[in-house]
Amino acid sequence: MKYYIETYGCQMNVSDSELIISILNDAGYEQASDIDTADILLFNTCSVREHAEQRVLGRISNERHRKKSKPELKIALLGCMAQRIGERLISEDLGIDYAVGVDQYRALPHLLEQAQGSLLKFNSYENYEHLLPVHQGENCAFVTIMRGCDNYCSYCIVPYVRGRERSRPYEDILLDVRAAVARNMMDVTLLGQNVNSYHWKDLSFPALLVRLQEDVPELYRLRFVTSHPKDLSDELVQVMGKGGKLCEHIHLPMQSGSNESLKRMNRSYSYEQYLNRVKALRKAVPGIGITTDLIAGFPGETQEQFEATLSAMREIEFDYAFCFKYSEREGTAAAQYPDQLPEAIRLSRLQKMIDLQREITLRKFRAKIGKEVEVYVEGFSKKSKSQVSGKTRDFKIAVLTGDESKIGTLVKVKVSQATAGTLICE
Ligand code: 5AD
Ligand code: SF4
């Protein structure tokens, strides 16, 4: 039996798909590289915003015609969306045969022996221990270190669909990182919804970073996502300050620059505290790239509160910001707030944020012109086969002239031009 898997959403889902592949391969299934040859289509889905859910439903509706010429073809919905509304979606006539939630992947082969069904129970102990994921990337590896989230930010569906926070045993993480390095994957990213609260036995997150660097000397670049500002300790800042394999980059979602909004978002920090973390990081790690997530049009956000976010963006000057239009998620606290904003306001604020960040990013990228950067070449550039692209240590996309022989290598190059998103190097 051949399966084809499509992954949506965050890196955590990419990492989960690698686990699912491992589970299915161990059970004797074979991964199809081409959707036409598959007997089972798996969609590993995201629920964080409504748009993500609509996209998957659109994809499934586009692919279900295949069942006409191949009646035995099965479609499985996995991940956050399955967890959230899988039961309902199976009962509707959408062509979905199975729904499997985030803690039930071990039982997936068993379920596939049945004609249809769902597995959606939470299991707050499930860490997929002793399972080695099948890394799908060529050069960059993603290694899950913790699952779930206990923060309950008022807008966010994640705690409801991914369950309680739990940390993965160090031995498993070590095996995973060693496997990645053995395949010459030089850029390793540790993953979790809130990596700073990693805790396994007496191993904290900063201690994990130190230990991994000692235990895997061949490791070249080490990164992590995502950090919650409230848990970003001085100890972590110090460990980052030591450099070594740890890259000069942090993704630190701010969400808003207004204290009132932050409070209603249940983020547990003020703008001043956030700024304090940014300053500590910039002092300890000169040249650190700081990226963020921002939400536009959160319920009750006044014009003044929105402008506080814009001025925070100007003050901090993020290297890049992922800006999102607020999306109501059923069951979250913010979806119950009385003052939901009209779509037009959400959209226009989002656009203002994007425009401002574009300017800032362009300025920050241009400041790199003339400087030497180290690029880890990951593949051909999107635009041309005579150019390759990769990332700098501070998480900027860089393109340079080169052919296939450069892929998978580290090069030192000089930045000659910059756009709001790409460094062009020589
Ligand atoms: N609406 C808009 N953006 C959201 N995010 C999470 N939930 C929502 C929502 N309901 C954003 C946050 C988070 C990122 C992964 O997605 O900015 O950091
Ligand atoms: Fe969602 Fe907040 Fe947890 Fe991030 S920290 S996953 S935004 S609840």
Side-chain angles (χ1 to χ4, degrees), residues 372-390:
E372 194 182 70
V373 289
E374 183 201 83
V375 179
Y376 178 41
V377 182
E378 292 165 30
F380 286 108
S381 88
K382 280 191 198 127
K383 289 203 181 125
S384 146
K385 281 261 169 191
S386 62
Q387 282 193 319
V388 289
S389 81

Side-chain angles (χ1 to χ4, degrees), residues 10 47-50 153-158 193 226 251 253-255 267 292-296 298 322-329 332 334 346:
C10 64
S47 275
V48 87
R49 281 170 294 275
E50 194 183 344
C153 300
S154 63
Y155 50 81
C156 185
I157 195 75
V158 168
Q193 241 72 44
T226 286
H251 184 65
M254 180 171 81
Q255 313 297 2
R267 287 292 285 176
T292 200
D293 290 343
L294 299 167
I295 297 177
F298 184 71
F322 297 87
C323 303
F324 305 106
K325 179 170 62 103
Y326 170 70
S327 168
E328 262 155 77
R329 304 283 64 209
T332 61
R346 295 186 207 184

